[in-house]
Amino acid sequence: MIDKADTNFLLNYIRTIPDFPEPGIQFKDFTPLLGNKEALNKTSSLLVMPFKDEEVDYVAGLESRGFLLGPKLAQDLNAGFIPIRKPGKLPADTYSQKYELEYGSDSLEIHADALKKGDRVIIHDDLIATGGTVSAASKLVEKLGGIIVGFSFIMEIEFLNGTTSLDSSIPCRSLLKV
Ligand code: AMP
């Protein structure tokens, strides 16, 4: 479990940028955390901890900030890494899943051959806000027959309650409430 000292230490490396990328959004920027070797190391080791005894075939990371620590988490769990990307970025055959944004909609894609039925997958992103993105990613993994064994985030925007949109029987771990 993450203790208070670790939480307070890591929170020093998260900054809030007001009105980015659009007015009204309080953007949680973790580039200071990536840039500090102690904070980066600490984050990597805390991300792996809740899942270290799980059998995991893949970590699926969400574009784009889920690509930053997702591959390291995969290596630490002795698993492969699957990118789940914005439309038109993956070159081979894909499955696509649409999801609603506050204004309009977007979609995510996964390679159709990224995993096979029964593979065990952890879905990772830097942050969960409303939960729409990770829910769409979950549908893609499940469409291919993958079993989601966990959700992993560095940050959770607590007041948005995004984790309530996820299957509550699947462990969901976020290091920091922001
Ligand atoms: P949501 O689908 O609402 O859970 O949004 C999660 C996705 O949007 C993640 O990929 C985040 O990187 C990004 N995101 C949403 N809100 C923020 C925020 N306030 N600060 C940083 N990233 C955000």
Side-chain angles (χ1 to χ4, degrees):
M1 240 7 240
I2 180 162
D3 64 29
K4 196 95 193 111
D6 286 339
T7 308
N8 289 339
F9 170 68
L10 292 181
L11 282 172
N12 289 324
Y13 298 95
I14 308 291
R15 61 184 173 187
T16 302
I17 311 291
D19 301 319
F20 181 88
E22 49 190 79
I25 305 289
Q26 301 288 314
F27 190 86
K28 301 295 174 184
D29 175 30
F30 77 123
T31 58
L33 182 153
L34 293 171
N36 179 277
K37 61 185 176 188
E38 283 88 15
L40 181 59
N41 255 320
K42 174 66 73 186
T43 302
S44 289
S45 47
L46 289 171
L47 281 176
V48 75
M49 220 134 68
F51 303 111
K52 66 180 177 3
D53 298 324
E54 285 284 346
E55 220 178 278
V56 181
D57 296 301
Y58 296 103
V59 171
L62 311 191
E63 184 164 0
S64 59
R65 287 179 293 277
F67 295 174
L68 294 170
L69 293 184
K72 172 75 166 79
L73 175 61
Q75 283 185 305
D76 290 346
L77 291 169
N78 196 29
F81 179 77
I82 296 172
I84 294 186
R85 300 208 62 179
K86 302 274 168 62
K89 303 278 190 180
L90 291 170
D93 288 345
T94 56
Y95 284 111
S96 176
Q97 178 67 50
K98 205 169 155 191
Y99 62 102
E100 298 307 315
L101 298 169
E102 204 172 344
Y103 300 103
S105 64
D106 207 344
S107 53
L108 286 176
E109 294 182 349
I110 192 169
H111 269 146
D113 62 356
L115 58 95
K116 60 184 188 322
K117 194 165 185 282
D119 282 338
R120 295 168 63 81
V121 180
I122 287 176
I123 298 182
H124 168 79
D125 203 358
D126 66 324
L127 178 145
I128 178 167
T130 63
T133 311
V134 66
S135 296
S138 302
K139 289 189 185 131
L140 288 173
V141 167
E142 285 170 344
K143 210 182 280 190
L144 296 185
I147 299 166
I148 301 166
V149 295
F151 297 104
S152 158
F153 304 99
I154 299 166
M155 299 171 277
E156 168 182 346
I157 299 189
E158 208 172 9
F159 83 93
L160 290 174
N161 289 318
T163 56
T164 58
S165 65
L166 305 177
D167 180 340
S168 60
S169 67
I170 301 173
C172 177
R173 303 284 179 253
S174 43
L175 301 184
L176 305 170
K177 316 262 189 248
V178 292

PDB file of all heavy atoms in Angstrom, residues 35-53:
ATOM      1  N   GLY A  35      10.586  13.899 -14.743  1.00  0.00           N
ATOM      2  CA  GLY A  35      11.917  14.508 -14.821  1.00  0.00           C
ATOM      3  C   GLY A  35      12.765  14.352 -13.579  1.00  0.00           C
ATOM      4  O   GLY A  35      13.963  14.655 -13.604  1.00  0.00           O
ATOM      5  N   ASN A  36      12.172  13.862 -12.506  1.00  0.00           N
ATOM      6  CA  ASN A  36      12.927  13.709 -11.260  1.00  0.00           C
ATOM      7  C   ASN A  36      13.226  12.230 -11.031  1.00  0.00           C
ATOM      8  O   ASN A  36      12.297  11.420 -10.927  1.00  0.00           O
ATOM      9  CB  ASN A  36      12.104  14.274 -10.093  1.00  0.00           C
ATOM     10  CG  ASN A  36      12.834  14.111  -8.777  1.00  0.00           C
ATOM     11  OD1 ASN A  36      12.784  13.047  -8.158  1.00  0.00           O
ATOM     12  ND2 ASN A  36      13.531  15.129  -8.340  1.00  0.00           N
ATOM     13  N   LYS A  37      14.499  11.861 -10.938  1.00  0.00           N
ATOM     14  CA  LYS A  37      14.820  10.429 -10.927  1.00  0.00           C
ATOM     15  C   LYS A  37      14.258   9.695  -9.716  1.00  0.00           C
ATOM     16  O   LYS A  37      13.802   8.550  -9.836  1.00  0.00           O
ATOM     17  CB  LYS A  37      16.323  10.177 -11.092  1.00  0.00           C
ATOM     18  CG  LYS A  37      17.204  10.746 -10.028  1.00  0.00           C
ATOM     19  CD  LYS A  37      18.671  10.535 -10.389  1.00  0.00           C
ATOM     20  CE  LYS A  37      19.548  11.199  -9.356  1.00  0.00           C
ATOM     21  NZ  LYS A  37      20.950  11.194  -9.744  1.00  0.00           N
ATOM     22  N   GLU A  38      14.260  10.353  -8.546  1.00  0.00           N
ATOM     23  CA  GLU A  38      13.709   9.662  -7.358  1.00  0.00           C
ATOM     24  C   GLU A  38      12.200   9.472  -7.507  1.00  0.00           C
ATOM     25  O   GLU A  38      11.664   8.408  -7.202  1.00  0.00           O
ATOM     26  CB  GLU A  38      13.982  10.454  -6.068  1.00  0.00           C
ATOM     27  CG  GLU A  38      15.404  10.351  -5.551  1.00  0.00           C
ATOM     28  CD  GLU A  38      16.315  11.428  -6.161  1.00  0.00           C
ATOM     29  OE1 GLU A  38      15.787  12.393  -6.743  1.00  0.00           O
ATOM     30  OE2 GLU A  38      17.552  11.277  -6.053  1.00  0.00           O
ATOM     31  N   ALA A  39      11.511  10.519  -7.982  1.00  0.00           N
ATOM     32  CA  ALA A  39      10.050  10.434  -8.122  1.00  0.00           C
ATOM     33  C   ALA A  39       9.674   9.415  -9.201  1.00  0.00           C
ATOM     34  O   ALA A  39       8.713   8.648  -9.040  1.00  0.00           O
ATOM     35  CB  ALA A  39       9.484  11.808  -8.465  1.00  0.00           C
ATOM     36  N   LEU A  40      10.464   9.378 -10.271  1.00  0.00           N
ATOM     37  CA  LEU A  40      10.193   8.421 -11.348  1.00  0.00           C
ATOM     38  C   LEU A  40      10.372   6.986 -10.864  1.00  0.00           C
ATOM     39  O   LEU A  40       9.531   6.113 -11.097  1.00  0.00           O
ATOM     40  CB  LEU A  40      11.125   8.725 -12.534  1.00  0.00           C
ATOM     41  CG  LEU A  40      10.978   7.846 -13.763  1.00  0.00           C
ATOM     42  CD1 LEU A  40       9.567   7.924 -14.341  1.00  0.00           C
ATOM     43  CD2 LEU A  40      11.997   8.257 -14.832  1.00  0.00           C
ATOM     44  N   ASN A  41      11.467   6.759 -10.158  1.00  0.00           N
ATOM     45  CA  ASN A  41      11.724   5.424  -9.604  1.00  0.00           C
ATOM     46  C   ASN A  41      10.656   4.980  -8.634  1.00  0.00           C
ATOM     47  O   ASN A  41      10.170   3.858  -8.684  1.00  0.00           O
ATOM     48  CB  ASN A  41      13.048   5.462  -8.811  1.00  0.00           C
ATOM     49  CG  ASN A  41      14.142   4.799  -9.584  1.00  0.00           C
ATOM     50  OD1 ASN A  41      13.925   3.775 -10.220  1.00  0.00           O
ATOM     51  ND2 ASN A  41      15.318   5.391  -9.553  1.00  0.00           N
ATOM     52  N   LYS A  42      10.303   5.895  -7.758  1.00  0.00           N
ATOM     53  CA  LYS A  42       9.283   5.610  -6.734  1.00  0.00           C
ATOM     54  C   LYS A  42       7.953   5.276  -7.413  1.00  0.00           C
ATOM     55  O   LYS A  42       7.280   4.310  -7.051  1.00  0.00           O
ATOM     56  CB  LYS A  42       9.161   6.838  -5.819  1.00  0.00           C
ATOM     57  CG  LYS A  42       8.087   6.830  -4.786  1.00  0.00           C
ATOM     58  CD  LYS A  42       8.273   5.795  -3.712  1.00  0.00           C
ATOM     59  CE  LYS A  42       9.372   6.116  -2.719  1.00  0.00           C
ATOM     60  NZ  LYS A  42       9.605   5.002  -1.783  1.00  0.00           N
ATOM     61  N   THR A  43       7.586   6.059  -8.425  1.00  0.00           N
ATOM     62  CA  THR A  43       6.319   5.834  -9.120  1.00  0.00           C
ATOM     63  C   THR A  43       6.311   4.461  -9.795  1.00  0.00           C
ATOM     64  O   THR A  43       5.348   3.699  -9.668  1.00  0.00           O
ATOM     65  CB  THR A  43       6.073   6.939 -10.175  1.00  0.00           C
ATOM     66  OG1 THR A  43       6.076   8.190  -9.495  1.00  0.00           O
ATOM     67  CG2 THR A  43       4.745   6.766 -10.882  1.00  0.00           C
ATOM     68  N   SER A  44       7.405   4.138 -10.486  1.00  0.00           N
ATOM     69  CA  SER A  44       7.484   2.828 -11.157  1.00  0.00           C
ATOM     70  C   SER A  44       7.332   1.696 -10.170  1.00  0.00           C
ATOM     71  O   SER A  44       6.604   0.733 -10.423  1.00  0.00           O
ATOM     72  CB  SER A  44       8.836   2.654 -11.848  1.00  0.00           C
ATOM     73  OG  SER A  44       8.904   3.478 -12.942  1.00  0.00           O
ATOM     74  N   SER A  45       8.012   1.799  -9.033  1.00  0.00           N
ATOM     75  CA  SER A  45       7.927   0.674  -8.102  1.00  0.00           C
ATOM     76  C   SER A  45       6.563   0.613  -7.419  1.00  0.00           C
ATOM     77  O   SER A  45       6.060  -0.475  -7.137  1.00  0.00           O
ATOM     78  CB  SER A  45       9.088   0.642  -7.111  1.00  0.00           C
ATOM     79  OG  SER A  45       9.282   1.895  -6.566  1.00  0.00           O
ATOM     80  N   LEU A  46       5.927   1.767  -7.206  1.00  0.00           N
ATOM     81  CA  LEU A  46       4.591   1.735  -6.594  1.00  0.00           C
ATOM     82  C   LEU A  46       3.533   1.232  -7.583  1.00  0.00           C
ATOM     83  O   LEU A  46       2.558   0.595  -7.176  1.00  0.00           O
ATOM     84  CB  LEU A  46       4.210   3.121  -6.082  1.00  0.00           C
ATOM     85  CG  LEU A  46       4.983   3.590  -4.847  1.00  0.00           C
ATOM     86  CD1 LEU A  46       4.680   5.060  -4.566  1.00  0.00           C
ATOM     87  CD2 LEU A  46       4.653   2.732  -3.624  1.00  0.00           C
ATOM     88  N   LEU A  47       3.727   1.503  -8.862  1.00  0.00           N
ATOM     89  CA  LEU A  47       2.739   1.034  -9.851  1.00  0.00           C
ATOM     90  C   LEU A  47       2.711  -0.494  -9.919  1.00  0.00           C
ATOM     91  O   LEU A  47       1.648  -1.092 -10.107  1.00  0.00           O
ATOM     92  CB  LEU A  47       3.058   1.594 -11.246  1.00  0.00           C
ATOM     93  CG  LEU A  47       2.651   3.040 -11.516  1.00  0.00           C
ATOM     94  CD1 LEU A  47       3.136   3.467 -12.898  1.00  0.00           C
ATOM     95  CD2 LEU A  47       1.140   3.245 -11.418  1.00  0.00           C
ATOM     96  N   VAL A  48       3.872  -1.108  -9.792  1.00  0.00           N
ATOM     97  CA  VAL A  48       3.931  -2.566  -9.958  1.00  0.00           C
ATOM     98  C   VAL A  48       3.410  -3.307  -8.717  1.00  0.00           C
ATOM     99  O   VAL A  48       2.862  -4.407  -8.815  1.00  0.00           O
ATOM    100  CB  VAL A  48       5.371  -3.011 -10.332  1.00  0.00           C
ATOM    101  CG1 VAL A  48       6.310  -2.965  -9.164  1.00  0.00           C
ATOM    102  CG2 VAL A  48       5.370  -4.386 -10.950  1.00  0.00           C
ATOM    103  N   MET A  49       3.546  -2.671  -7.564  1.00  0.00           N
ATOM    104  CA  MET A  49       3.283  -3.351  -6.301  1.00  0.00           C
ATOM    105  C   MET A  49       1.927  -4.064  -6.214  1.00  0.00           C
ATOM    106  O   MET A  49       1.888  -5.244  -5.870  1.00  0.00           O
ATOM    107  CB  MET A  49       3.435  -2.371  -5.149  1.00  0.00           C
ATOM    108  CG  MET A  49       4.105  -3.019  -3.983  1.00  0.00           C
ATOM    109  SD  MET A  49       5.394  -2.043  -3.271  1.00  0.00           S
ATOM    110  CE  MET A  49       4.532  -0.690  -2.559  1.00  0.00           C
ATOM    111  N   PRO A  50       0.806  -3.398  -6.523  1.00  0.00           N
ATOM    112  CA  PRO A  50      -0.492  -4.068  -6.322  1.00  0.00           C
ATOM    113  C   PRO A  50      -0.691  -5.287  -7.218  1.00  0.00           C
ATOM    114  O   PRO A  50      -1.549  -6.114  -6.934  1.00  0.00           O
ATOM    115  CB  PRO A  50      -1.526  -2.993  -6.693  1.00  0.00           C
ATOM    116  CG  PRO A  50      -0.792  -1.742  -6.956  1.00  0.00           C
ATOM    117  CD  PRO A  50       0.655  -2.042  -7.042  1.00  0.00           C
ATOM    118  N   PHE A  51       0.092  -5.389  -8.290  1.00  0.00           N
ATOM    119  CA  PHE A  51      -0.148  -6.451  -9.273  1.00  0.00           C
ATOM    120  C   PHE A  51       0.998  -7.459  -9.350  1.00  0.00           C
ATOM    121  O   PHE A  51       0.994  -8.331 -10.205  1.00  0.00           O
ATOM    122  CB  PHE A  51      -0.374  -5.825 -10.656  1.00  0.00           C
ATOM    123  CG  PHE A  51      -1.512  -4.844 -10.677  1.00  0.00           C
ATOM    124  CD1 PHE A  51      -1.289  -3.487 -10.838  1.00  0.00           C
ATOM    125  CD2 PHE A  51      -2.821  -5.280 -10.510  1.00  0.00           C
ATOM    126  CE1 PHE A  51      -2.347  -2.586 -10.844  1.00  0.00           C
ATOM    127  CE2 PHE A  51      -3.886  -4.386 -10.516  1.00  0.00           C
ATOM    128  CZ  PHE A  51      -3.644  -3.038 -10.681  1.00  0.00           C
ATOM    129  N   LYS A  52       1.981  -7.343  -8.442  1.00  0.00           N
ATOM    130  CA  LYS A  52       3.194  -8.145  -8.616  1.00  0.00           C
ATOM    131  C   LYS A  52       2.951  -9.657  -8.474  1.00  0.00           C
ATOM    132  O   LYS A  52       3.725 -10.442  -9.014  1.00  0.00           O
ATOM    133  CB  LYS A  52       4.314  -7.663  -7.702  1.00  0.00           C
ATOM    134  CG  LYS A  52       4.073  -7.830  -6.220  1.00  0.00           C
ATOM    135  CD  LYS A  52       5.284  -7.303  -5.466  1.00  0.00           C
ATOM    136  CE  LYS A  52       5.196  -7.333  -3.966  1.00  0.00           C
ATOM    137  NZ  LYS A  52       4.062  -7.901  -3.297  1.00  0.00           N
ATOM    138  N   ASP A  53       1.885 -10.039  -7.779  1.00  0.00           N
ATOM    139  CA  ASP A  53       1.606 -11.472  -7.639  1.00  0.00           C
ATOM    140  C   ASP A  53       0.571 -11.974  -8.636  1.00  0.00           C
ATOM    141  O   ASP A  53       0.172 -13.138  -8.596  1.00  0.00           O
ATOM    142  CB  ASP A  53       1.139 -11.780  -6.205  1.00  0.00           C
ATOM    143  CG  ASP A  53       2.228 -11.442  -5.198  1.00  0.00           C
ATOM    144  OD1 ASP A  53       3.421 -11.647  -5.537  1.00  0.00           O
ATOM    145  OD2 ASP A  53       1.906 -10.944  -4.104  1.00  0.00           O
TER     146      ASP A  53
END
